[in-house]
């Protein structure tokens, strides 16, 4: 039996970080692109010293028990960690980490591209041409909404929300944000953003980009009432977590013209997408590609590996989520 740490990676990750991990550890990569069914996951975690998990796996007491007392860390290969029960990790004496910062700008780019695509009807225009419809330039053809110099409302003003604000500033937009936390004046100055209550943001914003974590408080933060409060010309973008938006209510609101369009990277019952949304022209949908660039996935992989190395070396992982575990 090898005395090298034994690590499970639940989905293939980028080659460089994987090679780095394999130099020090015995690594098993689960190769199924559709992820590990939960009953199988409970079997394959047994005896591992570290797990590199994806946002598609639930990390809870059952999984930690199935792994065994030697497990040191669950390094989630994502900034979001709503799939990881931190209290269960701490109770089991297991460290948990995520991959913040390295994906901030890339995810903000995704949010902005969804915003532009939805506002300017890019997806609809593309589908139209691919259907080989007859057409000629016309002054009233497929009119969208201007983005520049409009009001951007950002819900959840953490790292990614602030990066979206910087992009909005470059487009000459007025930026308002809603967040439980009031940011220091220097952050407001850098981003040019002003804090408002969510009600005001819904009324005032021409574009709303969601960047909250998924918590019991933010589940269905956007539903029928919020859509009714928005401008009929407004565009909603979600690159955070699907359940923050009530998808059925969004489909109804879009069909009724309560808002102009939506751009979605994430879905309430991922990977399922509410059928009614797919039938609407004024929705842009992409399959959770927020951080999906070569450089960023490399960086996320390296950060997950660094967290694993720190844990097996008995050091504090750089992006530890449950520091209280160290006190135990
Ligand atoms: C995350 O990291 O949480 C994104 O949703 C996927 O990269």
């Amino acid at each position: 039996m090898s005395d090298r740490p034994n690590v499970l990676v639940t989905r293939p990750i980028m080659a460089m970080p994987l090679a780095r991990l394999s130099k020090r550890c015995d690594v098993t990569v689960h190769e199924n692109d559709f992820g590990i069914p939960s009953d199988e996951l409970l079997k394959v975690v047994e005896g591992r010293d570290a797990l590199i998990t994806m946002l598609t796996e639930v990390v809870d007491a059952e999984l930690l028990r199935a792994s065994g007392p030697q497990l040191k860390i669950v390094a989630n290969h994502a900034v979001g960690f709503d799939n990881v029960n931190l209290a269960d990790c701490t109770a089991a004496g297991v460290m948990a980490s995520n991959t913040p910062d390295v994906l901030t700008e890339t995810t903000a780019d995704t949010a902005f591209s969804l915003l532009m695509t939805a506002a300017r009807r890019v997806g609809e225009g593309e589908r139209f041409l691919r259907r080989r419809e007859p057409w000629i330039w016309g002054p009233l053809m497929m009119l969208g909404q201007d983005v520049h110099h409009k009001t951007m409302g950002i819900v959840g003003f953490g790292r990614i929300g602030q990066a979206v604000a910087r992009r909005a500033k470059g487009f000459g937009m007025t930026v308002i944000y809603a967040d439980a936390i009031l940011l220091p004046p220097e952050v407001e100055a850098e981003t040019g953003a002003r804090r408002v209550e969510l009600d005001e943001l819904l009324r005032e914003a021409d574009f709303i980009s969601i960047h909250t974590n998924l918590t019991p408080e933010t589940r269905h933060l956007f539903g029928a009432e919020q859509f009714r409060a928005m401008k009929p010309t407004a565009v909603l973008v979600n690159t955070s977590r699907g359940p923050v938006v009530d998808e059925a209510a969004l489909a109804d609101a879009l069909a009724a013209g309560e808002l102009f369009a939506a751009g979605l990277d994430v879905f309430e019952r991922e990977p399922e997408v509410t059928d009614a949304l797919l039938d609407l022209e004024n929705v842009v949908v992409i399959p959770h590609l927020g951080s999906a660039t070569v450089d960023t996935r490399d960086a996320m992989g390296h950060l997950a590996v660094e967290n694993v190395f720190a844990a097996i070396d008995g050091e504090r992982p750089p992006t530890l989520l449950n520091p209280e575990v160290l006190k135990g």
Side-chain angles (χ1 to χ4, degrees), residues 73-88:
I73 186 165
V74 175
N76 211 38
H77 185 276
V79 65
F81 52 90
D82 46 283
N83 60 311
V84 180
N85 187 320
L86 289 186
D88 286 355

Side-chain angles (χ1 to χ4, degrees), residues 90-171:
T90 304
V94 172
M95 291 182 265
S97 63
N98 64 342
T99 58
D101 297 320
V102 294
L103 48 59
T104 298
E105 300 297 332
T106 299
T107 307
D109 284 349
T110 303
F112 225 85
S113 56
L114 281 173
L115 184 153
M116 298 288 293
T117 306
R120 299 301 305 275
R121 302 173 66 167
V122 175
E124 188 182 343
E126 233 240 347
R127 286 190 293 277
F128 172 83
L129 285 185
R130 285 179 188 274
R131 283 198 303 272
R132 294 168 172 77
E133 303 266 353
W135 71 285
I136 186 164
W137 183 90
L140 298 181
M141 186 181 181
M142 268 188 215
L143 304 185
Q145 303 293 337
D146 273 331
V147 173
H148 63 90
H149 298 99
K150 293 291 181 75
T151 296
M152 166 72 100
I154 298 177
V155 178
F157 209 55
R159 288 172 288 246
I160 300 172
Q162 290 171 33
V164 170
R166 289 193 293 274
R167 283 156 180 74
K169 200 174 164 192
F171 274 68

Side-chain angles (χ1 to χ4, degrees), residues 12-320:
I13 60 170
M14 295 294 277
M16 296 291 277
L18 190 57
R20 193 173 160 202
L21 183 67
S22 303
K23 273 197 182 142
R24 284 196 59 190
C25 306
D26 288 340
V27 180
T28 307
V29 180
H30 193 89
E31 295 285 348
N32 179 348
D33 258 351
F34 283 92
I36 313 185
S38 45
D39 51 341
E40 198 181 329
L41 181 63
L42 290 176
K43 289 185 197 134
V44 292
V45 292
E46 194 186 342
R48 309 289 178 178
D49 298 298
L51 307 176
I52 294 185
T53 52
M54 307 297 139
L55 55 89
T56 43
E57 282 111 31
V58 175
V59 177
D60 59 7
E62 190 183 12
L63 181 98
L64 300 168
R65 246 192 330 272
S67 183
Q70 75 299 324
L71 181 66
K72 292 183 180 58
I73 186 165
V74 175
N76 211 38
H77 185 276
V79 65
F81 52 90
D82 46 283
N83 60 311
V84 180
N85 187 320
L86 289 186
D88 286 355
C89 288
T90 304
V94 172
M95 291 182 265
S97 63
N98 64 342
T99 58
D101 297 320
V102 294
L103 48 59
T104 298
E105 300 297 332
T106 299
T107 307
D109 284 349
T110 303
F112 225 85
S113 56
L114 281 173
L115 184 153
M116 298 288 293
T117 306
R120 299 301 305 275
R121 302 173 66 167
V122 175
E124 188 182 343
E126 233 240 347
R127 286 190 293 277
F128 172 83
L129 285 185
R130 285 179 188 274
R131 283 198 303 272
R132 294 168 172 77
E133 303 266 353
W135 71 285
I136 186 164
W137 183 90
L140 298 181
M141 186 181 181
M142 268 188 215
L143 304 185
Q145 303 293 337
D146 273 331
V147 173
H148 63 90
H149 298 99
K150 293 291 181 75
T151 296
M152 166 72 100
I154 298 177
V155 178
F157 209 55
R159 288 172 288 246
I160 300 172
Q162 290 171 33
V164 170
R166 289 193 293 274
R167 283 156 180 74
K169 200 174 164 192
F171 274 68
M173 298 174 90
T174 299
V175 183
I176 53 180
Y177 72 93
D179 196 302
I181 297 161
L182 177 60
L183 284 139
E186 58 274 17
V187 175
E188 293 203 343
E190 190 216 342
T191 55
R194 179 172 60 88
R195 182 169 177 251
V196 296
E197 294 302 320
L198 182 59
D199 291 357
E200 182 178 341
L201 183 143
L202 294 171
R203 275 196 316 273
E204 297 301 321
D206 299 299
F207 295 89
I208 297 181
S209 194
I210 305 176
H211 300 285
T212 55
N213 290 334
L214 174 62
T215 64
E217 293 72 40
T218 61
R219 185 173 291 273
H220 282 194
L221 182 65
F222 279 78
E225 188 188 328
Q226 288 68 34
F227 301 135
R228 269 194 303 274
M230 288 169 63
K231 296 182 183 181
T233 49
V235 172
L236 178 75
V237 171
N238 189 12
T239 53
S240 65
R241 285 292 180 263
V244 176
V245 172
D246 178 343
E247 242 169 55
L250 176 62
D252 288 347
L254 285 162
E258 285 172 5
L259 63 158
F260 182 74
L264 305 174
D265 181 40
V266 289
F267 302 93
E268 198 177 341
R269 285 168 294 276
E270 229 170 276
E272 190 191 314
V273 181
T274 296
D275 234 29
L277 285 174
L278 295 176
D279 290 336
L280 292 169
E281 285 290 4
N282 55 347
V283 186
V284 179
V285 281
I286 54 172
H288 206 146
L289 299 178
S291 61
T293 67
V294 173
D295 289 347
T296 293
R297 286 291 158 82
D298 238 356
M300 289 167 70
H302 281 294
L303 184 50
V305 168
E306 281 152 24
N307 278 300
V308 168
F309 285 171
I312 60 185
D313 288 340
E315 288 164 11
R316 183 188 171 113
T319 52
L320 180 65

Side-chain angles (χ1 to χ4, degrees), residues 7-19:
V7 182
L8 173 74
V9 185
T10 61
R11 299 276 282 280
I13 60 170
M14 295 294 277
M16 296 291 277
L18 190 57

